């Protein structure tokens, strides 16, 4: 099935539905496997507690901005960022996701790093992502001003750009724990795009900050339809306040499902290619 989904002959609509359905598969896995469910609940509940504390200490008398709204804003902000303080717990969830999918065991070397080194790496990724999202909005703003486009167009494009990075974050960690070394990834589509329009200096600046996500970006480039379906389902989950609370856990398991599908498809392709080699 994996090979038919990811093959060039597979219909785009089928691939989109497959990517979106990974969230349903993830929800089913979480409901059926207690160890996976516990691995998801612990970091989710700790994040909730942190947001509740933030909302409590940020209370004021402004009735137009109740504490529950500040709580949701804090939770949404944390969901959009790369994992930081709870990184080891999210890694364990990604590894357990591979286990319940009966995929090849994930690479747990990331857990062998010291916690503070891991924390430093993740906070650097937060800073990098903030820069990329901010600087990426600049060409959108410039173009909207030059073409006198309505503000709504700019806001929509900027929102999609930020959401794109949220989806990349969901895919990034499952790729990191996938078995085997990732190696050096090719430049991303937007790096190549800026270079093509003679903005090489801008492309180099973006490349410097986008390096940690190159493999996730490359995955979306290889499977644009499936990842589009994945992104649509992710957006619908965020629209639901209850499901949105568990978004990171659900998205991480769903992304692992998609990546394992890709691994199985590649394994089948390699097997078929080996069988077609002439004997001797």
């Amino acid at each position: 099935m994996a090979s038919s989904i990811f093959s060039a002959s597979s219909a785009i609509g089928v691939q989109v539905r497959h990517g979106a359905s990974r969230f349903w598969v993830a929800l089913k896995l979480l409901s059926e496997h207690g160890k996976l469910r516990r691995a998801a609940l612990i970091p989710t509940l700790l994040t909730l507690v942190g947001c509740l504390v933030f909302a409590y200490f940020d209370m004021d008398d402004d009735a137009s901005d109740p504490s529950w709204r500040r709580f949701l804003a804090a939770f949404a902000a944390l969901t959009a960022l790369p994992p930081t303080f709870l990184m080891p717990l999210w890694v364990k969830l990604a590894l357990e996701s591979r286990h319940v999918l009966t995929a090849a065991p994930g690479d747990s070397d990331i857990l062998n790093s010291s916690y503070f080194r891991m924390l430093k790496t993740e906070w650097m990724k937060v800073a990098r992502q903030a820069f990329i999202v901010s600087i990426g909005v600049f060409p959108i703003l410039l173009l909207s001003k030059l073409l006198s486009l309505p503000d709504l167009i700019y806001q929509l494009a900027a929102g999609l750009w930020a959401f794109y990075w949220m989806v990349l974050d969901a895919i990034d960690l499952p790729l990191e724990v996938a078995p085997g070394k990732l190696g050096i990834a090719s430049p991303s589509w937007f790096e190549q795009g800026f270079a093509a329009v003679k903005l090489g200096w801008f492309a180099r600046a973006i490349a410097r900050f986008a390096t940690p996500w190159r493999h996730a970006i490359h995955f979306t480039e290889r499977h644009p339809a499936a990842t589009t379906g994945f992104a649509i389902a992710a957006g619908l989950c965020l629209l639901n306040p209850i499901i949105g609370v568990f978004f990171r856990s659900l998205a991480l398991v769903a992304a692992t499902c998609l990546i394992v599908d890709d691994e199985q498809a590649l394994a089948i392709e390699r097997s078929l290619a080996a069988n077609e080699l002439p004997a001797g």
Side-chain angles (χ1 to χ4, degrees), residues 44-72:
T44 299
L45 292 176
L46 288 173
T47 304
L48 285 172
V49 169
C51 294
L52 286 170
V53 171
F54 170 82
Y56 176 79
F57 285 104
D58 194 44
M59 290 178 65
D60 53 37
D61 297 328
D62 185 4
S64 64
D65 188 22
S67 57
W68 65 266
R69 185 176 297 171
R70 288 191 292 273
F71 161 76
L72 290 177

Side-chain angles (χ1 to χ4, degrees), residues 58-230:
D58 194 44
M59 290 178 65
D60 53 37
D61 297 328
D62 185 4
S64 64
D65 188 22
S67 57
W68 65 266
R69 185 176 297 171
R70 288 191 292 273
F71 161 76
L72 290 177
F75 191 86
L78 288 176
T79 299
L81 293 173
T84 48
F85 294 107
L86 304 179
M87 180 64 172
L89 297 176
W90 295 119
V91 170
K92 290 178 181 178
L93 176 59
L95 293 171
E96 183 60 26
S97 299
R98 294 188 63 87
H99 176 72
V100 301
L101 288 167
T102 64
D107 186 354
S108 60
D109 285 349
I110 191 172
L111 294 175
N112 296 332
S113 302
S114 70
Y115 176 72
F116 291 104
R117 179 178 295 180
M118 187 184 299
L119 195 63
K120 177 184 176 182
T121 300
E122 290 307 309
W123 275 109
M124 286 297 295
K125 287 181 71 174
V126 170
R128 284 169 179 259
Q129 190 182 83
F131 174 82
I132 294 171
V133 172
S134 300
I135 201 69
V137 168
F138 174 72
I140 300 173
L141 176 61
L142 183 62
L143 188 63
S144 66
K145 295 299 182 182
L146 289 174
L147 299 178
S148 301
L149 298 175
D151 289 343
L152 180 62
I153 300 297
Y154 161 71
Q155 293 167 2
L156 180 61
L160 288 174
W161 174 246
F163 180 68
Y164 172 70
W165 283 92
M166 187 185 297
V167 172
L168 289 179
D169 266 333
I171 297 172
D172 182 55
L173 183 53
L175 279 176
E176 282 190 47
V177 303
K181 301 299 180 184
L182 291 174
I184 300 175
S186 57
S188 62
W189 59 269
F190 48 85
E191 293 172 48
Q192 297 178 46
F194 287 127
V197 294
K198 309 303 181 184
L199 289 176
W201 62 271
F202 195 75
R204 288 189 293 272
I206 288 288
R208 182 178 179 182
F209 288 88
T211 300
W213 292 275
R214 273 188 173 179
H215 292 284
I217 295 169
H218 183 56
F219 184 88
T220 65
E221 291 172 351
R222 288 197 299 116
H223 305 301
T227 49
T228 296
F230 179 90

